[in-house]
């Protein structure tokens, strides 16, 4: 799966705290999990460079070199919707991250859950197969860099590595025809990687998620004072809501819905300061985020979205398209 990330803000140095002063909550990102919703149709994996071998699906089947386009399949949670939205991907920050004098902090990250499904069945020469993707065993650990660009939050870089199992199931339901394939996937930093502090943990209480793809919640997770996917703003943090699973999120007033993509399909759109390592052109994975609308409206949220705000978001989309074509 291929993904990419472009920083959404310019990194600004932060003043150092006086020696001996206790570290405040606003200078520490507590460990916890971040849950994501995949953009339908903007996640794919290609087998062009590493084909599924001949005879994999049935005797005499040809090598599969096609591209599988996927969507999110909501994770089973306990309680239901315990993550607040139909998440399909969960990343854990394994350590508390303390900001240094430059306003930078690091933590280890690891995938804890993944649930994707093919957008449509694939033709294999042995009939149609449904496709699903989940994590496969112990997951690699990578390093996440978090930057404070304001007192409320900032941007981050989070290259990901994961071991996945791709499951091919005949649409006829024949269990004898099920095939599985394991792969290692490396995903570089993504576009629009933004975060904000929260007064309370985003996910509260005892929350369990399905980590192994069997449909039964088996792993307990917790939130923290870190909210990934929403730009820093003034006042209480409010979260994106989803009217249907495959739809664009309705972001808080003053914010625009954006796609954050790992392994950018358009190399010209990379931020020159981002590390491009760890991506290949076989993979793409995009999730929804909420980014402050042009004109600073996110700093003073309006009572509700209006025509001016809608125009600002539409204008920002036009600018993005122009930049990607340059």
């Amino acid at each position: 799966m291929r993904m990419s990330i472009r920083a959404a803000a310019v990194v600004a140095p932060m003043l150092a705290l006086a020696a001996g002063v206790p570290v405040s909550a606003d200078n520490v990102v507590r460990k916890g999990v971040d849950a994501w919703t995949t953009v339908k149709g903007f996640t794919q994996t290609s087998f062009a460079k590493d084909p599924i071998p001949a005879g994999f699906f049935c005797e005499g089947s040809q090598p599969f070199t096609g591209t599988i386009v996927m969507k999110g399949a909501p994770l089973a949670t306990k309680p239901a919707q315990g993550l607040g939205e139909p998440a399909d991907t969960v990343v854990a920050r394994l350590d508390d991250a303390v900001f240094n004098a430059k306003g930078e902090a690091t933590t280890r990250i690891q995938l804890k859950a993944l649930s994707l499904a093919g957008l449509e069945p694939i033709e294999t020469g042995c009939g149609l197969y449904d496709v699903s993707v989940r994590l496969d065993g112990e997951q690699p650990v990578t390093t996440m860099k978090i930057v404070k660009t304001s007192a409320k939050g900032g941007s981050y870089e989070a290259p990901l590595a994961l071991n996945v199992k791709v499951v091919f199931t005949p649409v006829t339901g024949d269990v004898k025809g099920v095939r599985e394939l394991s792969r290692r996937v490396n995903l570089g930093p993504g576009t629009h990687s933004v975060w904000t502090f929260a007064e309370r943990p985003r996910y509260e209480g005892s929350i369990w998620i399905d980590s192994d793809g069997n449909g039964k919640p088996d792993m307990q997770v917790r939130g923290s004072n870190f909210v990934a996917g929403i730009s820093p703003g003034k006042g209480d943090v409010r979260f994106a809501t989803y009217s249907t699973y495959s739809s664009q999120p309705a972001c808080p007033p003053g914010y625009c819905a954006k796609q954050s993509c790992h392994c950018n399909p358009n190399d010209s759109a990379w931020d020159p300061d981002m590390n491009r390592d760890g991506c290949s052109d076989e993979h793409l994975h995009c999730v929804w985020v909420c980014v402050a609308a042009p004109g600073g409206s996110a700093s003073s949220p309006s009572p509700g979205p209006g025509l001016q705000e809608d125009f600002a978001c539409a204008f920002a989309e036009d600018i993005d398209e122009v930049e990607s074509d340059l």
Side-chain angles (χ1 to χ4, degrees):
M1 300 174 309
R2 187 181 178 215
M3 307 182 182
S4 75
I5 302 175
R6 176 181 42 179
V10 177
V11 176
M14 306 299 292
L15 296 177
L17 295 177
V21 176
V23 176
S24 69
D26 283 346
N27 202 50
V28 180
V29 167
R30 301 298 179 187
K31 63 183 178 181
V33 300
D34 304 313
W36 299 97
T37 298
T38 296
V39 181
K40 180 180 179 181
F42 280 80
T43 291
Q44 63 187 42
T45 186
S46 169
F47 293 90
K49 294 184 179 179
D50 186 14
I52 297 176
F56 177 82
F57 292 101
C58 65
E59 185 176 353
S61 65
Q62 297 298 306
F64 182 82
T65 59
T67 297
I68 300 175
V69 181
M70 288 171 282
K71 61 183 178 180
L75 289 165
T77 64
K78 182 181 179 182
Q81 297 191 16
L83 296 175
E85 62 223 29
D88 52 63
T89 305
V90 175
V91 180
R93 288 169 282 102
L94 303 178
D95 317 294
D96 289 348
V98 181
F99 290 100
N100 62 19
K102 294 182 179 180
E104 300 174 349
T106 60
T107 181
R108 297 172 302 145
I109 55 176
Q110 185 180 46
L111 265 290
K112 292 300 183 182
L114 179 71
S115 179
L116 303 176
L119 205 57
E120 57 186 25
I122 62 168
E123 177 55 64
T124 66
C126 305
L128 294 173
Y129 280 73
D130 289 321
V131 182
S132 61
V133 178
R134 61 176 181 263
L135 297 182
D136 187 19
E138 185 68 18
Q139 296 300 305
V141 174
T142 56
T143 299
M144 177 182 190
K145 178 182 178 181
I146 307 172
V147 179
K148 277 175 55 171
T149 60
S150 75
K152 292 291 184 178
S155 61
Y156 65 86
E157 299 177 19
L160 299 174
L162 53 158
N163 297 320
V164 300
K165 180 175 291 185
V166 187
V167 181
F168 302 89
T169 304
V171 295
T172 60
D174 179 13
V175 294
K176 294 182 179 180
V178 174
R179 300 288 185 267
E180 296 182 349
L181 183 68
S182 295
R183 280 200 160 190
R184 166 68 177 255
V185 175
N186 294 317
L187 301 168
T191 55
H192 299 303
S193 295
V194 292
W195 67 276
T196 187
F197 278 117
E199 294 297 325
R200 299 185 307 171
R202 184 172 188 179
Y203 317 115
E204 296 186 284
S206 179
I207 302 172
W208 294 75
I209 63 171
D210 172 20
S211 68
D212 56 13
N214 67 357
K216 299 179 181 179
D218 62 297
M219 177 183 292
Q220 189 172 17
V221 297
R222 65 178 62 187
S224 73
N225 62 338
F226 181 86
V227 181
I230 296 185
S231 293
K234 183 178 180 180
D236 295 334
V237 174
R238 287 169 285 176
F239 306 112
T241 57
Y242 299 80
S243 56
T244 63
Y245 186 67
S246 60
S247 71
Q248 178 173 306
C251 289
Y255 291 81
C256 300
K258 295 282 188 179
Q259 296 175 15
S260 171
C261 297
H262 290 265
C263 292
N264 198 335
N266 180 1
D267 290 339
S268 66
W270 279 94
D271 185 302
D273 295 325
M274 297 300 291
N275 181 354
R276 303 188 188 193
D277 295 341
C279 278
S280 63
D281 58 10
E282 297 108 288
H283 309 297
L284 170 70
H285 184 258
C286 299
V287 295
W288 285 115
V289 299
C290 294
V291 178
S297 56
S299 298
S300 303
S302 59
L307 291 178
Q308 183 175 358
E309 183 177 302
D310 291 342
F311 176 79
C313 290
F315 179 74
E317 292 290 344
D318 290 341
I319 293 299
D320 282 350
E321 290 180 8
V322 171
E323 288 178 345
S324 66
D325 290 337
L326 294 178

